[in-house]
Amino acid sequence: MSSLLPVIAAILVSGLVVQLVAHHLQVPSVVFYLLIGVVLGPEVLGLVTLETFGDGLEIIVGLSVAIIVFEGAFALQIDRIRGASTVSLRLVTVSALVMFLGTAAAVRFFEGANWEIALLIGALLVATGPTVITPILNVVRVRDHVATALETEGIVNDVTAAIVAVVIFETLLLDDLGVPATVFSFVERLGVGVLAGLLATVVIYVLLDSDLVPERDVQASQFLVLAAAVGAFAAAEAVAAEAGIAAAATSGIVLGNLDINNREEIERFAENTTLVVLSFVFISLAALIDVEAILQLGLGAVGLVLVIMLVLRPLGALIATAGVERFTWPERLFIAGVGPRGIIPASVATLFAIELELAGNVAAGELLVGTVFAVIFVTVAIEAGLARRIGDVLGVSPMRTLIIGGGRVGRALATRLERRGEYVIIIETDDDEIEQARSEGFTVYEGDGSDTETLRGAGIEDAKRVITVTRDDDVNLLACQLAITKFGVESVYSRVNEPDNVDAFESIGVKGVDSPTATAVAIDDRIERPAITHWMNELGDSHDVQEVEVTAENLAGKTIRDLNAQIPDGTFVAVVSRDGENHVPSADTVLEYGDHVTFIGDTDAVRRAMERFHPHD
C-alpha cells in the first residue's frame, strides 16, 4: 500500500496540473496525458509499470471507462441526437465497418499479421471515445450538430469496438469457433449490457423519485447517479466480459433523458469526476506504452497510420455526411481530420497482450500492443494536438451569436443568421418554445437569459453578438446590460416592445428596434417596394447582402474601377460607409482602409468578395 501511494499521488497531481496547462494553452488535455504517461512509465522514470497495479489494473481501467462513458452518454440528449441523426447513424454503422475492415486489411498488408490478429486490431481501432473527443470539443467550439455526431460516434463505437474485440479474441483467436459463433456472442454481450443498463436505470430512477431522496438533497442525487454507472457496469461484467461498457452507456443515455431533479448539479459532478478519472486512467495506460515494440514495427506501422488517418477516416466521414446539407464542407473535413483513438483500444489491447504472452504467443502480443499504441500515439499527438489549429484553418469555430428568446421572432431571426453561416444559440426558458426550436434544428440553451450563469453556460464569452427578442423589455434590458458590462460584448441588439423604452436601451449602447416601427416599415416596404422586399426576405437562398470592413491593405487607396478585377462576378458594391456617413459609390470612389462596404449579389460571390476585402479579423 505504501509503495502505491506516491505513484497514485504522482498520477493524480500530474493529471490536475495538465488540466490547468491544457486549459491555459487551449490544447486538448489528452495530448499532455500521453506525454506525462510516457515520462512516468518504464521508458523514462519507471514509476508506473505493468506490475504497479498488478491484477487490479483491469478493474481500475474498467470502472474508470464505465464512469467516463456514462458521463458522456448522460450529456447526450435525444433532441441533440435528432439534429445529427443521419450522420451519427452512419458513423456508427457504415463508417465504422469501413474503418474495421480497412484497418484489418492494412494491418495484414503492412505488417504481415494473420487475419485473426488483423481483425482484432481493426475492431479495436474503430473506437474514438469520449476520452479523446470531449477534451477536443472543450477547446474547439463547433456547431452543435457536429459535436453531437462526434460524441455519439465516440460513445457508441467505444461500446461496439470493445465487445467486437473481445468476441473476436475469444471465438476466433483463442477457440476458432467461426463466424456464426462470433456474431451470436456479440449479440449476447450487447444484450446483457443493454439489459443491465436498463435495470440499473430503473432502480436509480425509482430511488431518486422516492421519499428516500428529498428533492433538495443534491449530494444524494449525485452519488445515486454515479452508482448507476458503477452498478450497471459491475452487474453486466459479472455475466459477460466487456458487456459493462454497453451497460454504462445504456444507463447514461436513458437516465440522462429522464426528468430528474438537480440535473445541472449532477452534470457538473459527473464532469468533475470524469476529469479526475480520465487523467488517472489515461496517464496510467500511457505509461505502459512499449516504445520498443512500436519501433520494431518499422515502416509497416507508418504505412498503417497513414492509411487510417489519410484514407479510412476521411472516407468514413465523407460517407457519413454525404447528402446532408446541414454539414458544411469545412465541417465534413473537420470530422475527417479529427478521429484520435482513446482508452478502449489502449486498455483492451494491453489486457489481450498479457493473455497472449501467458499463452506463449509473445510475438502476437507485441504486434497487437505495438500497433494499437502506435496509432493511439500518432492520432492523439497530431489529430488531437492540432485539433484547434485544424478547426481554425477550416473555420468551423465561428464566433457565437446568442439570441435570447426562442419565440417566433427569435426563430425567424436565427433562420436568417444560420443561412448566412452564423453559429446561433437560442436561450429560452419556456418548455414549449424550447421543444419547437429544437424540432426546427436550432441549438437551444435552457435558462434565463437575464441570469449571469445562464449566459456564461451558453458561451457568451465566445459571442460576437447578443440579441434579445423576448416580449419583456425588462428582461431584454437586463440581459443587454449584463452582456455589455459583465462580458464586454460590443455588438448588442434588442427588440423593444414599447417605443418609449428605446432611449433606455440606446443609453447603454444597445441598438434597439421597436416592434411597432419595425412592423410599420415592413408594411410600407411591401406596398412601395414589393420586389426588393421579397428579394431581401429570401436572403441566404441564392443571394445575399453583407457589410464588411476593408482590412486588405493591398486594396486600400484604390478606386472602385481599379478594384473591378477583385470584385467577383455576380456582386457589386452598393454602399460605402465612412465616419458614420453612407453613400452609393461611383467608379471613381476611392476605398480607404477601415471603410465599410456593402456587397449585394449572389451568395457565393458575396462570400468571396468579403474574404478578399476583409482577410483579417
Side-chain angles (χ1 to χ4, degrees):
M1 180 65 181
S2 59
S3 61
L4 272 179
L5 184 59
V7 175
I8 294 174
I11 294 173
L12 288 175
V13 171
S14 300
L16 295 175
V17 171
V18 159
Q19 281 289 338
L20 296 175
V21 173
H23 179 74
H24 177 72
L25 297 178
Q26 289 292 286
V27 175
S29 54
V30 289
V31 179
F32 295 103
Y33 292 153
L34 203 60
L35 296 176
I36 292 294
V38 172
V39 171
L40 295 179
E43 302 294 335
V44 183
L45 298 179
L47 190 62
V48 182
T49 66
L50 196 58
E51 291 75 30
T52 300
F53 300 105
D55 295 335
L57 178 64
E58 184 175 357
I59 298 174
I60 293 171
V61 171
L63 287 173
S64 300
V65 171
I67 293 171
I68 295 166
V69 170
F70 177 88
E71 188 271 330
F74 187 83
L76 267 185
Q77 298 295 303
I78 296 299
D79 289 333
R80 290 182 61 207
I81 296 175
R82 286 198 192 105
S85 57
T86 300
V87 174
S88 298
L89 180 61
R90 292 177 185 172
L91 282 173
V92 301
T93 54
V94 182
S95 298
L97 186 62
V98 168
M99 180 61 72
F100 170 40
L101 297 179
T103 301
V107 170
R108 181 163 174 79
F109 177 79
F110 286 106
E111 299 181 345
N114 60 46
W115 275 114
E116 287 80 3
I117 288 291
L119 288 170
L120 179 61
I121 294 174
L124 286 173
L125 293 179
V126 166
T128 51
T131 58
V132 286
I133 294 301
T134 300
I136 290 175
L137 296 178
N138 285 339
V139 299
V140 185
R141 299 286 186 177
V142 295
R143 299 178 198 274
D144 201 50
H145 56 273
V146 179
T148 300
L150 289 172
E151 289 169 343
T152 306
E153 177 197 24
I155 291 167
V156 175
N157 283 355
D158 254 11
V159 173
T160 55
I163 295 176
V164 170
V166 169
V167 169
I168 289 175
F169 184 76
E170 293 182 356
T171 62
L172 293 184
L173 196 63
L174 296 184
D175 298 328
D176 194 18
L177 298 178
V179 174
T182 301
V183 174
F184 176 78
S185 181
F186 171 78
V187 174
E188 180 185 32
R189 290 167 194 267
L190 182 61
V192 168
V194 171
L195 288 175
L198 291 174
L199 179 61
T201 300
V202 170
V203 172
I204 298 301
Y205 184 71
V206 169
L207 289 174
L208 287 172
D209 198 43
S210 69
D211 294 334
L212 295 174
V213 183
E215 184 176 339
R216 295 182 180 180
D217 194 340
V218 176
Q219 190 176 60
S221 300
Q222 291 171 335
F223 283 114
L224 273 176
V225 170
L226 182 62
V230 177
F233 173 82
E237 285 291 313
V239 179
E242 297 304 325
I245 299 175
T250 300
S251 182
I253 290 176
V254 176
L255 198 56
N257 283 277
L258 292 175
D259 184 17
I260 58 176
N261 297 323
N262 307 311
R263 173 177 295 278
E264 292 183 5
E265 291 82 359
I266 290 171
E267 286 183 347
R268 281 197 292 269
F269 174 73
E271 288 173 5
N272 292 333
T273 303
T274 297
L275 286 178
V276 176
V277 171
L278 175 60
S279 62
F280 183 84
V281 73
F282 213 108
I283 291 174
S284 299
L285 288 174
L288 304 181
I289 291 178
D290 190 340
V291 177
E292 185 177 346
I294 295 175
L295 295 176
Q296 286 178 353
L297 298 175
L299 294 178
V302 176
L304 173 64
V305 170
L306 291 177
V307 167
I308 290 174
M309 293 177 60
L310 303 180
V311 179
L312 298 178
R313 179 63 184 181
L315 179 60
L318 295 179
I319 290 173
T321 56
V324 183
E325 294 183 1
R326 193 175 188 190
F327 284 76
T328 65
W329 271 105
E331 290 170 347
R332 297 177 188 190
L333 293 175
F334 180 76
I335 294 174
V338 177
R341 301 315 189 264
I343 281 179
I344 291 295
S347 60
V348 179
T350 301
L351 298 175
F352 285 171
I354 294 172
E355 289 192 43
L356 286 172
E357 290 176 6
L358 291 175
N361 199 345
V362 177
E366 290 180 349
L367 176 65
L368 170 63
V369 77
T371 302
V372 169
F373 275 111
V375 174
I376 292 173
F377 196 91
V378 176
T379 56
V380 167
I382 296 178
E383 295 183 340
L386 299 179
R388 186 174 178 83
R389 176 75 63 177
I390 294 170
D392 290 342
V393 169
L394 294 175
V396 297
S397 303
M399 294 290 284
R400 302 178 176 204
T401 293
L402 299 187
I403 297 179
I404 299 172
R408 284 179 294 178
V409 175
R411 297 197 302 273
L413 180 58
T415 298
R416 295 172 69 87
L417 293 174
E418 287 203 338
R419 283 177 178 174
R420 295 206 296 266
E422 299 278 354
Y423 179 20
V424 178
I425 293 178
I426 295 174
I427 301 176
E428 180 56 71
T429 57
D430 185 83
D431 292 338
D432 293 335
E433 299 288 13
I434 290 171
E435 183 178 354
Q436 180 64 34
R438 284 177 174 164
S439 69
E440 293 178 16
F442 297 113
T443 300
V444 183
Y445 189 88
E446 186 173 353
D448 181 359
S450 60
D451 177 71
T452 301
E453 290 307 313
T454 296
L455 292 173
R456 183 176 284 111
I460 194 172
E461 292 166 333
D462 294 323
K464 67 174 180 180
R465 185 187 300 123
V466 172
I467 308 170
T468 61
V469 294
T470 76
R471 299 183 184 89
D472 189 329
D473 282 350
D474 291 335
V475 171
N476 291 344
L477 186 61
L478 179 56
C480 290
Q481 284 180 319
L482 288 174
I484 294 170
T485 60
K486 182 79 174 178
F487 297 102
V489 180
E490 296 181 358
S491 298
V492 181
Y493 303 80
S494 183
R495 166 188 180 179
V496 183
N497 299 281
E498 294 293 333
D500 293 342
N501 294 333
V502 171
D503 290 342
F505 282 86
E506 293 185 346
S507 67
I508 62 172
V510 179
K511 302 172 183 66
V513 178
D514 72 271
S515 297
T517 301
T519 303
V521 170
I523 293 174
D524 182 50
D525 285 340
R526 286 281 187 179
I527 296 171
E528 299 296 332
R529 291 163 286 277
I532 190 64
T533 299
H534 181 72
W535 190 86
M536 290 286 289
N537 284 337
E538 293 181 344
L539 292 182
D541 292 339
S542 60
H543 46 267
D544 206 355
V545 178
Q546 289 286 337
E547 179 180 318
V548 68
E549 182 181 0
V550 178
T551 59
E553 296 179 0
N554 62 314
L555 303 184
K558 296 182 179 180
T559 66
I560 296 293
R561 181 184 290 106
D562 295 334
L563 295 173
N564 269 337
Q566 298 296 326
I567 301 175
D569 292 338
T571 187
F572 64 93
V573 178
V575 178
V576 174
S577 304
R578 182 183 303 162
D579 299 328
E581 296 184 0
N582 306 318
H583 66 276
V584 177
S586 67
D588 295 323
T589 297
V590 178
L591 291 184
E592 301 294 346
Y593 190 93
D595 283 352
H596 284 249
V597 296
T598 299
F599 291 102
I600 295 180
D602 298 334
T603 300
D604 291 339
V606 169
R607 298 278 173 84
R608 293 199 303 273
M610 292 173 64
E611 291 171 357
R612 292 177 185 177
F613 280 71
H614 182 66
H616 308 297
D617 290 322

